[in-house]
Amino acid sequence: AHVGSLIKQLTSNNDDSSPVLTSDGKILFFTRVDNSGPSIWSLDMESGALTSCARGYSPEPIPGENDKFLCVRNSPAGNSEIWLVDYMKGQETMIASDIERSYSNPALSPDGQWILCQGNAKSNISKKMNLDIFAVRVDGTQTIQLTYHPASDCCPVWSNDGKYIYYTSAEVSPVENHLFRIEIKSLKKGVVKASFGKPQRLTFEEGWHDVQLSPDCKHFIDSYSSLSVPRVINLCKTDGKKVSNLLTAEDPTLDYAY
């Protein structure tokens, strides 16, 4: 027998995705797609009970409140919106919506007051639509754009202390993806424009970087490659310093004459 970890299948639907646990690990929310479209389901990790919660996809649980989550829904016009759902009380509140843009990938701040998300916006430089990072008050009363680069910025997450946001961006090259962070200096209700530091690039090697941040946001796994660089996987600190190399793949074209 092979030595390894036990793998347990939790659901059996043809199209279940985006699993995320509540902060206490008791409930697993996930997206299920069927003939009626995407919806959020919950799985009780102790009893195994499955519950259909609400329309939408990409659930983001509210810490300490296992009955609530953020999710994304598509409007009748086709734009994606961010909603707050309390599925036990049957309460659903639209947080972010715009007839000219879509919002997705919601991430709640550690103090529970702001939601980070990505949204499409027209660049003042290229005059083309691209993805930027936005912060939205959890009550939906205020939306602030945090990045303005004409390349796409996406997949934002908060640091545990709420002092930084981390995101990936193609601003270096359209065929490269890199990790950046921004220091948040002022993000309060009523502020017209947030006060924040300049974007700090954390990955520098040529290639497309797939990044996984640790739960405490102190380290990240950096997996990257390019046409000229075989796969490399490093463990790094979130100040950009490399801790160790985990994998350096051999060049698959080494024995070819071209």
Side-chain angles (χ1 to χ4, degrees):
H2 294 286
V3 177
S5 301
L6 177 65
I7 298 176
K8 181 180 179 181
Q9 184 172 340
L10 299 178
T11 68
S12 57
N13 191 60
N14 289 334
D15 198 347
D16 293 338
S17 61
S18 306
V20 58
L21 284 166
T22 55
S23 55
D24 60 9
K26 293 183 177 181
I27 301 294
L28 177 76
F29 289 108
F30 62 94
T31 301
R32 171 167 288 183
V33 180
D34 55 27
N35 292 335
S36 62
S39 58
I40 309 298
W41 286 64
S42 69
L43 172 66
D44 189 304
M45 299 300 291
E46 295 180 358
S47 68
L50 279 168
T51 303
S52 177
C53 302
R55 292 187 302 108
Y57 52 96
S58 300
E60 172 77 3
I62 304 300
E65 300 186 66
N66 288 1
D67 298 338
K68 294 182 179 181
F69 56 83
L70 298 167
C71 70
V72 181
R73 288 179 176 173
N74 291 337
S75 70
N79 291 336
S80 56
E81 306 167 330
I82 296 177
W83 287 69
L84 173 64
V85 175
D86 185 327
Y87 72 98
M88 293 301 292
K89 293 182 178 179
Q91 297 176 346
E92 301 181 348
T93 306
M94 185 172 63
I95 304 298
S97 178
D98 193 310
I99 60 174
E100 295 183 350
R101 66 165 54 102
S102 292
Y103 296 107
S104 59
N105 274 358
L108 189 67
S109 64
D111 64 5
Q113 298 302 306
W114 292 88
I115 299 167
L116 274 182
C117 61
Q118 64 187 42
N120 54 355
K122 181 177 286 187
S123 168
N124 292 329
I125 299 173
S126 68
K127 306 302 180 183
K128 297 179 180 179
M129 297 297 288
N130 70 289
L131 291 176
D132 281 301
I133 308 301
F134 293 79
V136 183
R137 286 285 299 181
V138 75
D139 59 6
T141 58
Q142 191 176 6
T143 301
I144 300 173
Q145 186 171 342
L146 298 179
T147 65
Y148 292 86
H149 197 277
S152 287
D153 307 319
C154 61
C155 307
V157 297
W158 298 90
S159 63
N160 282 1
D161 56 11
K163 293 182 179 179
Y164 294 93
I165 62 169
Y166 295 87
Y167 64 96
T168 58
S169 176
E171 70 172 69
V172 175
S173 164
V175 296
E176 295 189 30
N177 190 56
H178 288 275
L179 179 66
F180 288 77
R181 75 175 180 181
I182 293 178
E183 182 182 4
I184 301 297
K185 298 180 178 180
S186 175
L187 195 59
K188 300 178 181 179
K189 188 172 183 179
V191 174
V192 175
K193 187 174 182 180
S195 173
F196 53 93
K198 294 181 179 180
Q200 178 185 0
R201 182 178 169 185
L202 300 178
T203 54
F204 297 92
E205 296 83 359
E206 174 191 345
W208 191 273
H209 293 253
D210 292 317
V211 175
Q212 294 182 350
L213 282 162
S214 63
D216 61 6
C217 289
K218 292 183 178 180
H219 297 83
F220 65 91
I221 299 293
D222 179 22
S223 176
Y224 67 93
S225 65
S226 70
L227 291 175
S228 59
V229 179
R231 177 66 56 188
V232 176
I233 303 177
N234 292 326
L235 173 65
C236 304
K237 293 183 178 181
T238 45
D239 60 4
K241 296 180 180 178
K242 185 174 76 173
V243 176
S244 62
N245 172 254
L246 304 179
L247 172 71
T248 298
E250 294 183 358
D251 186 347
T253 67
L254 195 60
D255 297 326
Y256 291 84
Y258 71 89

